[in-house]
Amino acid sequence: MRVNTINRARRRAAVGVSVAALAAGAAAGAGPAVAQPSATSTSASAEAPDCSAAYRIEQKLSTGTTWRMCWHYDSKAGLVLEDISYQPKGEAAPIKVLASARLGQIDVPYDDGSVEYDDLTGFGFAQGLVNLASGECPGGTIKTVKVPEAWDPRHPNVNGLCTTTRSRGHAYRMQADTSNKVYQQQGKDLLVYTVNKVGWYEYMTEWRFQDDGMINMNVGATGSLSPVDYDAGDGRGWPIGKGATAYATSHSHNVFWRLDFDLDGSAKGRVEQYDSQLSAPARGQEAPTNKTTSTKVTNELAGDARNMRWWRVVSTAGKNKDGHARSYEIVQGATNKYPGHGFTKHDVYFTEYDKCELFASNNPGCAGGHPKTLDKWVNGQTLTHPVVWVNVGFHHIARDEDQQPMPVHWQGFSIAPRDVTAMNPLTPAALADQNGHVEGGS
């Protein structure tokens, strides 16, 4: 996206300032989208998130699930979601899931080694919030965000937060053993997102809350290939345009998320790691055996994904109706890890909660002498209040199709409910008795 270290940094900052100022200026005269999704009123004040109505998101999906949360806008992280709870049909009260969910950094090193950007803490990600047109939030509500430390303090308000609902296709499909009856359900999601412009890139930060309890976190990069970052001589880019004279410089996007769980209203969760190992088939068996073992993660950990390895955060305060401890499983997406730094070398990090540890690199919030990168925080502390960091990398080698404008390229992961409810929260009434070992089929 740039040419040389000094000019690139200055140019990126200047572009961000001018764009954000224009966006903020436009916000003053723009109203919210007219269409609004239906939302339920909270039946009891104790069930409502602990925030004023202006900063509350509450949505009952058509399949019966209600998500509730608060939001605020941070001067570096941008959108922060807090006090997140999930209430599927059949549950008398909301189930608390997360105390806080936020981006933890977007680290962008260039392949030629000349520059590296920390977009959240160093290059005005939050100040780059842009106005959204009503057509970008179909059927939803666009909320006005007061941007802290706005580049143009006279116009800090931006119509930049969309909350809407989306269909995602089949939630399930099952044909009964008898009568050929088909049970099927089309899934619905609550979608919450913002768009932040940093230099030539526009980052779409989206949070999808499914009616079955899953949460999907994604960042999509779009906008433009920087017109000043072409170098035909370094051999590290890809030819864009006619012939082979202009090479767009390749680079990485290392996106971090920070999740502070609050399962059943308690910060005292535990972390477990699961690994499965195949052994040769025993005599008379048709296939190898596969044994899964669990390991309690009692101390801080920098973890790496492997085949048949996964982690979950387990509630110490509540169980589902079957008597099983509620938990959420980390479901990792595609990634290209960047091995250039300690904080980018691992897929997940589990750290003990520290209120000042908010960004994976160039962390500005701690006292002098406290390490500024995530990897240095993994120093053997006992995990009693675990914070989960997930690192997803994307190596962007540009292509002709990236211009113009550049299609969105997504990176992200999910957390999936594991034993949060006793059955599928979307189970139809006719199958509600089929819990556990069912004799005689469906």
Side-chain angles (χ1 to χ4, degrees):
M1 287 192 279
R2 294 57 59 198
V3 176
N4 61 62
T5 305
I6 296 175
N7 288 341
R8 283 177 178 174
R10 289 177 178 170
R11 182 176 292 109
R12 187 174 220 214
V15 169
V17 169
S18 62
V19 170
L22 288 171
V34 175
Q36 298 185 5
S38 60
T40 59
S41 298
T42 309
S43 58
S45 60
E47 295 180 354
D50 187 18
C51 53
S52 66
Y55 295 94
R56 186 180 305 147
I57 298 171
E58 181 175 337
Q59 180 66 54
K60 184 172 184 179
L61 298 166
S62 60
T63 47
T65 293
T66 300
W67 283 97
R68 298 178 178 91
M69 65 200 71
C70 297
W71 68 274
H72 77 267
Y73 197 80
D74 183 78
S75 64
K76 289 183 170 57
L79 180 65
V80 178
L81 301 177
E82 296 175 312
D83 196 11
I84 300 169
S85 69
Y86 155 61
Q87 187 176 8
K89 60 184 181 181
E91 293 290 334
I95 300 166
K96 290 193 174 181
V97 179
L98 290 162
S100 174
R102 59 196 287 159
L103 285 179
Q105 190 57 279
I106 301 177
D107 171 71
V108 187
Y110 275 69
D111 283 17
D112 60 9
S114 63
V115 71
E116 185 167 2
Y117 298 100
D118 44 4
D119 281 345
L120 267 60
T121 53
F123 285 91
F125 171 89
Q127 286 67 42
L129 184 70
V130 303
N131 284 292
L132 299 173
S134 59
E136 297 182 84
C137 190
T141 298
I142 298 177
K143 295 178 179 289
T144 300
V145 179
K146 185 175 182 179
V147 177
E149 301 175 16
W151 280 314
D152 183 357
R154 298 169 302 170
H155 303 102
N157 295 321
V158 179
N159 294 329
L161 172 58
C162 170
T163 64
T164 189
T165 59
R166 294 273 178 92
S167 298
R168 70 172 186 277
H170 276 88
Y172 62 77
R173 186 187 189 280
M174 186 188 79
Q175 184 166 325
D177 293 340
T178 59
S179 77
N180 291 323
K181 180 176 176 59
V182 173
Y183 297 94
Q184 70 87 27
Q185 178 71 64
Q186 297 298 299
K188 297 289 185 180
D189 300 345
L190 164 64
L191 171 63
V192 180
Y193 84 94
T194 59
V195 179
N196 295 72
K197 189 171 180 64
V198 183
W200 298 97
Y201 272 99
E202 297 186 21
Y203 291 113
M204 307 180 74
T205 305
E206 89 171 18
W207 304 82
R208 287 181 180 263
F209 300 89
Q210 294 186 187
D211 51 10
D212 60 3
M214 180 171 280
I215 304 174
N216 302 287
M217 289 138 273
N218 294 289
V219 166
T222 183
S224 300
L225 289 174
S226 169
V228 298
D229 281 316
Y230 287 81
D231 185 347
D234 68 5
R236 295 181 177 87
W238 194 270
I240 302 295
K242 299 291 185 182
T245 58
Y247 283 68
T249 307
S250 302
H251 52 277
S252 293
H253 297 262
N254 304 308
V255 181
F256 292 81
W257 287 261
R258 180 186 183 275
L259 302 180
D260 181 5
F261 279 85
D262 189 33
L263 284 169
D264 293 302
S266 175
K268 293 184 177 181
R270 69 176 189 267
V271 177
E272 296 174 352
Q273 176 178 308
Y274 289 80
D275 291 275
S276 299
Q277 184 173 359
L278 291 178
S279 299
R283 183 183 298 274
Q285 291 180 321
E286 295 185 4
T289 59
N290 190 4
K291 183 177 181 180
T292 300
T293 57
S294 65
T295 304
K296 288 183 171 59
V297 181
T298 57
N299 299 95
E300 293 175 317
L301 172 71
D304 293 303
R306 292 181 183 173
N307 189 43
M308 296 188 182
R309 168 177 287 178
W310 52 279
W311 295 268
R312 70 169 182 158
V313 178
V314 187
S315 173
T316 59
K319 297 180 179 180
N320 68 16
K321 294 174 183 177
D322 281 346
H324 302 146
R326 292 189 174 106
S327 71
Y328 262 83
E329 176 183 339
I330 299 168
V331 182
Q332 294 173 294
T335 185
N336 289 296
K337 280 188 296 186
Y338 175 77
H341 302 294
F343 70 90
T344 60
K345 283 183 178 179
H346 302 285
D347 297 296
V348 295
Y349 300 79
F350 300 97
T351 61
E352 180 64 7
Y353 176 83
D354 187 321
K355 65 180 180 180
C356 79
E357 294 176 351
L358 297 174
F359 299 96
S361 66
N362 193 21
N363 183 67
C366 296
H370 195 97
K372 290 186 176 294
T373 57
L374 170 60
D375 55 309
K376 300 296 195 306
W377 304 336
V378 180
N379 58 12
Q381 289 187 76
T382 301
L383 287 177
T384 59
H385 179 171
V387 174
V388 180
W389 303 76
V390 179
N391 168 31
V392 180
F394 176 79
H395 188 210
H396 189 187
I397 300 176
R399 54 187 180 144
D400 278 339
E401 290 85 352
D402 280 343
Q403 53 183 16
Q404 169 92 302
M406 180 170 58
V408 185
H409 55 79
W410 293 99
Q411 55 201 104
F413 72 106
S414 305
I415 58 173
R418 176 171 285 276
D419 305 341
V420 171
T421 53
M423 295 181 69
N424 183 341
L426 304 180
T427 294
L431 301 178
D433 63 336
Q434 297 194 17
N435 181 23
H437 183 198
V438 180
E439 298 287 349
S442 58

